[in-house]
Amino acid sequence: KHCDLLDASYIKASKVASALALSQAEKNLGALAENLQQESFRIAVVGEFSRGKSTFVNALLGKKILPASKNPTTAIISVIAYNDTPKYTISLKKDAEEIEVDEEDFINLKAPKNIDEYSEEWDEVIRQKSRIESIDHARVYYPLDVCKGNVEIIDTPGLNDIDANRVEITYNYLDKADAIIFLLA
């Protein structure tokens, strides 16, 4: 409610600035209104691997959106945000552009299996690991009431994962969260 009131005030003030030919003030107010619309409240779900973080997020959302398993599964940050129609995107580390992917491709962004280098699956695991390491984060846009009002729910890799890169991903994301839900078991 407060954001809506503030946004309405920015719009009124911008109209006054326009009427008074205060172009810089009008531009600044427009930028403030745009920032307010893009502002979000981020809730990160954190815990050790296999503690049920993805399962918890799926339950909170009322729909199985994230892949979940008893083994380390989450390999990247997954941000769930509101949209009228479902959409899945990934952002690569080399640029911030969002690339739309289908649901199946999103679900396949799982932590690779831990196998030894002599396994027949070794090449596929290396390919999958390389792809995952190129991704900064994924976004799931879904028509979920809990995410209305620019609320984002973030699923994170486990804190005690055997892959140190996945642990680092979680720690680096914590300062971007407005709230943290820490799952113990």
Side-chain angles (χ1 to χ4, degrees), residues 87-115:
K87 182 170 98 169
Y88 301 85
T89 66
I90 56 172
S91 293
L92 301 177
K93 289 179 180 175
K94 66 180 180 180
D95 57 31
E97 180 183 358
E98 284 190 341
I99 301 166
E100 192 164 346
V101 296
D102 62 23
E103 182 177 10
E104 183 180 341
D105 198 24
F106 169 76
I107 289 171
N108 287 327
L109 293 173
K110 296 185 241 182
K113 293 188 267 182
N114 289 318
I115 60 171

Side-chain angles (χ1 to χ4, degrees), residues 60-93:
L60 182 66
L61 300 174
K63 180 162 179 60
K64 185 176 182 196
I65 293 174
L66 302 172
S69 149
K70 63 181 178 180
N71 297 316
T73 303
T74 304
I76 59 173
I77 296 291
S78 295
V79 180
I80 296 92
Y82 183 84
N83 197 38
D84 290 331
T85 57
K87 182 170 98 169
Y88 301 85
T89 66
I90 56 172
S91 293
L92 301 177
K93 289 179 180 175

Side-chain angles (χ1 to χ4, degrees), residues 1 35 37 49 81-82 114 124 135 140 162 175:
K1 284 182 183 180
N35 285 344
Q37 290 302 317
F49 81 84
Y82 183 84
N114 289 318
E124 178 57 33
I135 297 171
V140 177
I162 57 173
D175 66 339

